[in-house]
Amino acid sequence: MGLFSRLLSELIDVIEWVDNTHDTLIWKFPRNDNAIKMGAKLTVRESQVAIFVNEGKIADVFQPGMYELTTQNMPILTTLEGWKYGFQSPFKVDVYFVSTRMFTNQKWGTKNPVMLRDAEFGPVRLRAFGSYAFRVADAATFFRQIAGTGAGFNVENINEQLRNIIVSRGMDTVAASKIPVLDLAANYDEVGVIIKNNIAPDLTEMGLILTSLLVENISLPPEVESVLDKRTQMGIVGNLGAYAQFQAANAIEKSAENSIGGNLGAAGMGLGVGAAMMGQVGNIFKDNHVDATPPANDGPPPIKAETQYYIAIDGKSEGPATLEQLKTIINQKQLSADTRVWKKGMADWAPAESVDELSDLFGNTPPPLA
């Protein structure tokens, strides 16, 4: 090979970058000390910018297009090198390609809960996370401020810094918005737009632009959420007294169902006791209002306690039950005239029909059909 051919082989005449990655921001063209031939072809594809660096300083920046490198389209480099117009000798520069495409689905989130003050709950700790998309808006500024002169620069090299900015500015934004914690879920879009606008100046200084920012979740600590769940349950229940009576009525109904086919006398007693329990439960949830006014002397006398009866069923004592409850049991054919009963003041058990106040109850029962 002759000297002239060897010199030609050391000259670079095609400069381009075909990006096969999904995360490269800056790629350095591998010149390996070979000189670039004057008149070489430079291809800058869409979503790319080419930067020529001479002796550590940015010389020329080329937007998308195809160029034949001459002193006319490299004005800064021509001035730095002191070339006369039309000088055709080879030259040496570092060529960097910067990707200006959009990098999507980048994740952000708080590493630890952030303390904020809420108007309703006071100091609360919040966690938040979401996603964002960005791109290089000013290739020269990004190269100077962030990338430097390394052989390459990818998304992961800048992501941590962007996440820190989003979390720091984002939580300040949530606090300044004065949106109640319980209303944040309905305002994710609004919060995302405010955060995006607030951090725009920080990214402009780095030559970047945030194209979108999404807030996917803002949550309270688990222990606080459990308390809110209980508060929600109370709101759904509403009147606790009515709810308690409803629950007691369901319990009585289930008790009666479980007693069908079993001890009918015990079932009757269960109905009576359950009704009494429901009344007691209802009293628990009545308004605990204390009237400071003493009762008048001419008020009604206290209600006399009802007589309680016990019934002998299969050799066992069941009860107590009131007279009204016994009427129900008699109507249900679960108490007959010869069933032995006892009440306070009686010396011993006696047939129900022998007790004055009970004898009339059996006289109202029609005889069996012939």
Side-chain angles (χ1 to χ4, degrees):
M1 180 182 294
L3 177 61
F4 183 73
S5 297
R6 188 165 62 252
L7 289 174
L8 286 178
S9 67
E10 294 179 353
L11 298 178
I12 297 173
D13 57 2
V14 176
I15 304 172
E16 64 179 350
W17 177 35
V18 179
D19 184 11
N20 295 320
T21 70
H22 300 286
D23 63 349
T24 302
L25 280 164
I26 294 181
W27 179 78
K28 183 179 180 181
F29 182 78
R31 186 171 60 82
N32 297 326
D33 291 333
N34 290 350
I36 297 175
K37 182 176 66 175
M38 191 66 71
K41 301 295 184 182
L42 170 66
T43 302
V44 183
R45 292 174 169 79
E46 289 291 346
S47 73
Q48 294 179 354
V49 171
I51 298 177
F52 280 28
V53 178
N54 177 251
E55 297 181 356
K57 296 181 180 179
I58 293 179
D60 294 297
V61 179
F62 294 86
Q63 299 298 324
M66 181 175 287
Y67 304 87
E68 182 179 346
L69 298 180
T70 65
T71 54
Q72 288 93 331
N73 57 26
M74 295 186 295
I76 298 178
L77 184 60
T78 299
T79 301
L80 291 175
E81 293 291 343
W83 294 328
K84 292 181 181 180
Y85 181 78
F87 189 69
Q88 298 295 314
S89 64
F91 58 93
K92 290 187 177 183
V93 293
D94 293 321
V95 181
Y96 293 88
F97 284 89
V98 180
S99 175
T100 58
R101 74 177 184 84
M102 187 184 304
F103 293 89
T104 61
N105 199 33
Q106 308 302 309
K107 302 299 182 181
W108 67 271
T110 55
K111 294 181 179 178
N112 299 299
V114 179
M115 182 70 74
L116 297 177
R117 185 178 297 278
D118 182 70
E120 183 174 359
F121 298 106
V124 293
R125 291 182 293 121
L126 297 180
R127 289 183 180 274
F129 64 85
S131 60
Y132 66 96
F134 75 97
R135 66 177 180 84
V136 175
D138 187 332
T141 298
F142 180 71
F143 184 85
R144 290 191 190 98
Q145 300 296 332
I146 302 297
T149 56
F153 194 90
N154 59 35
V155 172
E156 196 57 37
N157 298 130
I158 191 66
N159 252 346
E160 186 68 20
Q161 177 66 14
L162 295 181
R163 283 194 290 262
N164 291 339
I165 292 174
I166 292 173
V167 171
S168 177
R169 297 286 189 270
M171 292 299 98
D172 288 346
T173 298
V174 173
S177 69
K178 303 298 182 182
I179 299 175
V181 168
L182 297 183
D183 295 335
L184 283 174
N187 293 275
Y188 281 171
D189 289 343
E190 177 184 348
V191 173
V193 171
I194 296 174
I195 295 175
K196 177 177 174 290
N197 294 336
N198 280 0
I199 67 177
D202 296 273
L203 270 66
T204 299
E205 293 179 358
M206 296 187 291
L208 301 175
I209 182 172
L210 204 65
T211 56
S212 69
L213 186 142
L214 300 177
V215 179
E216 298 175 16
N217 182 266
I218 299 178
S219 60
L220 294 162
E223 58 272 17
V224 178
E225 290 184 346
S226 65
V227 174
L228 284 177
D229 288 341
K230 292 180 181 178
R231 177 174 174 178
T232 302
Q233 293 171 359
M234 292 175 63
I236 293 175
V237 168
N239 188 322
L240 291 181
Y243 179 73
Q245 292 180 352
F246 174 73
Q247 292 289 76
N250 284 340
I252 294 170
E253 181 179 356
K254 290 181 179 179
S255 176
E257 290 174 355
N258 294 335
S259 299
I260 293 177
N263 190 327
L264 296 179
M269 292 301 98
L271 287 171
V273 173
M277 287 178 59
M278 185 173 68
Q280 293 298 325
V281 172
N283 291 334
I284 293 175
F285 292 98
K286 287 183 179 179
D287 293 338
N288 295 323
H289 175 70
V290 178
D291 191 351
T293 305
N297 294 332
D298 55 353
I303 299 175
K304 184 178 180 180
E306 293 188 60
T307 302
Q308 302 290 315
Y309 297 88
Y310 291 84
I311 303 175
I313 303 292
D314 295 334
K316 296 181 180 180
S317 175
E318 302 288 352
T322 64
L323 182 60
E324 291 299 320
Q325 292 165 356
L326 289 182
K327 291 179 182 179
T328 301
I329 299 172
I330 292 172
N331 292 335
Q332 295 176 351
K333 310 298 185 186
Q334 297 173 6
L335 177 63
S336 62
D338 58 351
T339 301
R340 292 187 301 159
V341 300
W342 180 88
K343 67 176 181 177
K344 186 176 180 180
M346 291 177 59
D348 199 356
W349 295 81
E353 63 180 355
S354 66
V355 180
D356 293 340
E357 61 268 29
L358 300 182
S359 60
D360 293 339
L361 300 180
F362 298 102
N364 294 329
T365 304
L369 294 175

